[in-house]
Amino acid sequence: MDPVRQAKIAELRRLGIDPFPTEPFLVNTTAAQIFRYYPQQKLDFKSVRLAGRLWRKRLMGKASFAVLRDESGEIQLYFQRDDFAERPELYDIVFKKLLDLGDVLGVEGFVFTTKTGEITVHVQRFRLLAKCLRPLPIEKETEEKTYAAFTDPELRYRMRYVDLIVHLGVRDIFRRRTTIVQSIRDFFNQRGYLEVETPILQPVYGGAFARPFTTHHEALDMQLFLRISNELYLKRLIVGGFTGVYEFSKDFRNEGIDRYHNPEFTQVELYVAYQDYLWMMELVEQLLESVVRQTLGKTTVQYGEHEIDFAAPYRRVRYYDAIESSLGVNVRHLSERELIELLHQKNLPLPTPPYERADLIARLFDKLVEPSLIQPTFVMDYPIELSPLAKAHRTDPELTERFELIVAGKELANAYSELNDPIDQRQRLEKQMALRAAGGLEAMPMDEDFLRALEYGMPPTAGLGLGIDRLAMLLCNVPSIQEVLLFPLLRPE
RNA sequence: GACUCCGUAGCUCAGUCGGUAGAGCACUUGCCUUUUAAGCAAGGGGUCCUGGGUUCGAGUCCCAGCGGAGUCACCA
């Protein structure tokens, strides 16, 4: 804490001013409302009350200017000594000396326009609502230059409250993120799908392939995992008779951190009975077009150097065709040796063993094809080896009824016609376990309860996972996931 | 995990060839009744990330560590 400011607290108390008063301060307008309505309706602004942080002081002799920043924006304040004739120390001492930038302040007065044309609140009374004991990194801007910008990403994320105070644009990002989530929720609710909550603490993890976080329940003396996915629980609900369920799911993966990955992240997953992945593609197009329109008021979004158009329909391309048109080679029937040769040719390292042919192909796709897909593109019909929870393709048993939606070179959504044959499902999971065991990885117990649920019969179902963080990155035009997470994971201080 | 860059005042940064620690903003004091990056004048403020080493002397050079950013790898 700043000793100068601590001394000011003592001085305020001596003057009978509580630096942290209890009484509420009722506001009746905001900075943005004043700017919007005052020019037409001046009479409505004879007695305004607003609250926010003291953001700038331009002190002069008997009159001074200041700037107040509230949630809606900034507005200039005007103080005159004459207004405080009964207690001049309120102006000379309290306002001029004891109030600091960053203090939370309530003001009362009338709106006017200065000679230079700036809409300003002429303050007649003010009350300190909370003292700010640490100096804020307040930026000063001119047309050419920004002074003292608060830019260190670590500090911004570690002290997000300061970042939010200082950078109005950061608040906009998180408002927009909430708009995105709400418009997805509205879209699903309008169609009658049921929002549910399923366990975050799971005795067996599944539904994706990732290392989990492990924890322990004392009373049951039981190992538990933070979910890496909620897929298997939502499918149990389809077995249970719901025809459409979704969940905004915070998932946890014990893996590396980079600008696309945080150990906890958010997906929305949707499962709809009696539908397939072709139907789901159309739903996703409608969903995204609608969400983007509601969030931005149009269907296009600038992301880095690209303008991306979310208006339906989206291009559709089959997995092997996408690889062929990108590399000029049909890789589907190449031998393992030929695939390794191709990876060498393209200067790509091999995956860590044990790997299958499909893993080599996946590497080609991930490194060479996916990054080139900028406009929303459905890549369909993935190899069966890569998709253990997806139904085999109706016309080609080596493929699955699966699509990923790629936007700006990154996976945004993943969907299947869900595998509902319990015998096939068991075999596929067993094969995955065998592969893990061969790679020396810790064995993952089979989710027997999930298989039991399937044995009771799951209707044919279309399932979708959509990455909320990635969507927010796109619609906010930010290059890293940390910018759309209020509190991204950091090392301890 | 590998590599590259970075770490100096509350914030953003400069610091030459190794020779007394700097600027702007913020802060403190004074003047100023429509200013606006307000201005003018004066002033305070440093574990130069940490620990070693080289040197008469290290913010600067070397080594190690810690932290951050980026690229790659891992994450089917």
Side-chain angles (χ1 to χ4, degrees):
Chain A
M1 280 186 292
D2 180 8
V4 175
R5 295 195 181 195
Q6 281 181 287
K8 287 177 178 180
I9 281 200
E11 186 60 17
L12 284 163
R13 289 216 163 95
R14 210 181 55 76
L15 290 168
I17 293 170
D18 182 353
F20 298 100
T22 309
E23 299 75 27
F25 184 87
L26 299 179
V27 303
N28 63 14
T29 190
T30 63
Q33 273 184 6
I34 291 172
F35 280 109
R36 181 152 175 211
Y37 297 111
Y38 171 74
Q40 282 78 41
Q41 299 158 238
K42 294 196 165 59
L43 292 180
D44 293 345
F45 293 90
K46 292 279 182 208
S47 176
V48 296
R49 294 167 64 86
L50 60 172
R53 281 186 193 270
L54 184 59
W55 204 244
R56 268 183 232 304
K57 285 163 83 179
R58 290 189 283 279
L59 299 183
M60 295 177 289
K62 295 170 187 143
S64 297
F65 292 88
V67 172
L68 187 78
R69 174 179 274 202
D70 68 10
E71 190 181 350
S72 71
E74 295 176 1
I75 190 156
Q76 179 164 262
L77 306 177
Y78 179 66
F79 290 75
Q80 268 189 3
R81 184 188 283 155
D82 294 350
D83 292 315
F84 303 95
E86 287 171 21
R87 286 190 69 190
E89 74 273 16
L90 285 178
Y91 176 80
D92 290 320
I93 307 293
V94 178
F95 167 68
K96 274 184 145 181
K97 303 205 168 163
L98 300 181
L99 290 190
D100 289 299
L101 303 193
D103 286 354
V104 182
L105 193 66
V107 300
E108 195 179 338
F110 60 88
V111 181
F112 77 110
T113 306
T114 65
K115 275 184 196 163
T116 53
E118 182 158 350
I119 293 173
T120 300
V121 176
H122 186 126
V123 175
Q124 295 165 301
R125 273 189 290 276
F126 66 91
R127 193 201 303 166
L128 176 60
L129 301 178
K131 189 73 186 152
C132 174
L133 288 174
R134 291 173 181 266
L136 282 169
I138 292 179
E139 301 181 346
K140 276 195 158 186
E141 283 176 46
T142 58
E143 277 142 28
E144 316 94 64
K145 219 180 148 187
T146 298
Y147 291 79
F150 181 60
T151 50
D152 184 327
E154 189 203 348
L155 288 177
R156 287 184 48 229
Y157 303 148
R158 207 178 276 294
M159 298 193 288
R160 181 66 94 181
Y161 37 90
V162 173
D163 190 34
L164 288 164
I165 290 169
V166 172
H167 297 127
L168 295 176
V170 173
R171 297 184 195 171
D172 291 336
I173 285 174
F174 291 102
R175 287 198 193 95
R176 183 172 291 181
R177 183 180 169 120
T178 297
T179 303
I180 292 166
V181 168
Q182 283 174 346
S183 61
I184 294 171
R185 180 174 279 127
D186 289 346
F187 184 93
F188 288 163
N189 287 346
Q190 278 161 19
R191 282 159 182 74
Y193 307 141
L194 184 70
E195 182 167 14
V196 296
E197 294 179 274
T198 65
I200 294 171
L201 289 174
Q202 301 179 347
V204 182
Y205 60 93
F209 293 89
R211 193 185 316 157
F213 287 91
T214 308
T215 186
H216 185 259
H217 188 271
E218 297 296 336
L220 296 179
D221 188 21
M222 172 188 179
Q223 188 177 39
L224 286 168
F225 305 97
L226 297 184
R227 69 180 167 201
I228 59 172
S229 163
N230 58 352
E231 171 158 354
L232 305 186
Y233 281 92
L234 292 179
K235 285 179 178 173
R236 283 169 168 94
L237 296 177
I238 297 295
V239 171
F242 294 110
T243 51
V245 290
Y246 71 94
E247 179 177 18
F248 287 94
S249 173
K250 188 70 91 71
D251 295 339
F252 304 84
R253 297 186 181 175
N254 203 341
E255 285 159 8
I257 299 174
D258 62 29
R259 70 193 174 97
Y260 297 102
H261 299 89
N262 191 66
E264 55 181 290
F265 65 102
T266 305
Q267 298 193 76
V268 64
E269 294 213 18
L270 168 73
Y271 291 82
V272 179
Y274 313 119
Q275 299 293 2
D276 65 7
Y277 81 135
L278 297 170
W279 174 87
M280 185 62 88
M281 262 186 265
E282 289 183 21
L283 187 85
V284 168
E285 287 170 341
Q286 291 168 27
L287 169 69
L288 289 177
E289 178 172 335
S290 152
V291 167
V292 174
R293 208 184 282 284
Q294 279 191 51
T295 306
L296 303 175
K298 54 183 182 169
T299 62
T300 57
V301 53
Q302 191 69 32
Y303 189 70
E305 65 211 38
H306 302 295
E307 180 169 83
I308 295 171
D309 190 351
F310 282 95
Y314 304 155
R315 187 162 85 93
R316 299 181 181 194
V317 58
R318 286 181 299 182
Y319 184 78
Y320 283 116
D321 294 344
I323 297 173
E324 181 168 3
S325 65
S326 182
L327 304 188
V329 188
N330 185 341
V331 298
R332 178 160 180 182
H333 299 293
L334 293 184
S335 68
E336 184 168 326
R337 177 191 296 255
E338 289 167 319
L339 287 168
I340 290 172
E341 178 55 31
L342 187 55
L343 280 166
H344 278 310
Q345 234 180 65
K346 301 290 180 187
N347 237 340
L348 291 173
L350 297 179
T352 42
Y355 49 77
E356 302 183 276
R357 278 183 69 253
D359 297 318
L360 300 172
I361 294 168
R363 174 150 298 228
L364 289 167
F365 179 82
D366 292 348
K367 298 297 170 194
L368 302 176
V369 183
E370 190 171 276
S372 71
L373 301 175
I374 303 303
Q375 294 302 321
T377 304
F378 289 121
V379 177
M380 315 163 53
D381 303 347
Y382 281 64
I384 197 162
E385 297 87 343
L386 301 176
S387 314
L389 298 166
K391 207 176 233 184
H393 197 278
R394 62 195 77 179
T395 64
D396 187 338
E398 293 179 4
L399 304 179
T400 50
E401 300 211 345
R402 170 183 180 185
F403 70 82
E404 289 196 354
L405 177 64
I406 312 296
V407 183
K410 281 278 165 188
E411 173 193 346
L412 182 61
N414 182 21
Y416 320 131
S417 298
E418 300 294 339
L419 179 53
N420 63 343
D421 174 344
I423 296 159
D424 188 0
Q425 182 67 87
R426 180 180 291 277
Q427 286 169 352
R428 297 234 223 137
L429 291 177
E430 277 169 354
K431 188 176 170 207
Q432 292 299 324
M433 286 172 64
L435 278 174
R436 282 177 65 87
L441 293 170
E442 191 187 334
M444 182 171 101
M446 186 78 83
D447 192 337
E448 289 293 345
D449 179 70
F450 168 64
L451 288 167
R452 179 168 60 192
L454 288 190
E455 286 164 14
Y456 281 96
M458 182 172 86
T461 297
L464 168 74
L466 174 70
I468 298 297
D469 310 292
R470 298 247 174 109
L471 182 58
M473 286 168 66
L474 286 167
L475 300 194
C476 297
N477 190 17
V478 297
S480 83
I481 193 172
Q482 283 84 7
E483 293 291 344
V484 297
L485 297 172
L486 280 166
F487 301 102
L489 187 70
L490 300 171
R491 282 172 207 274
E493 271 183 89

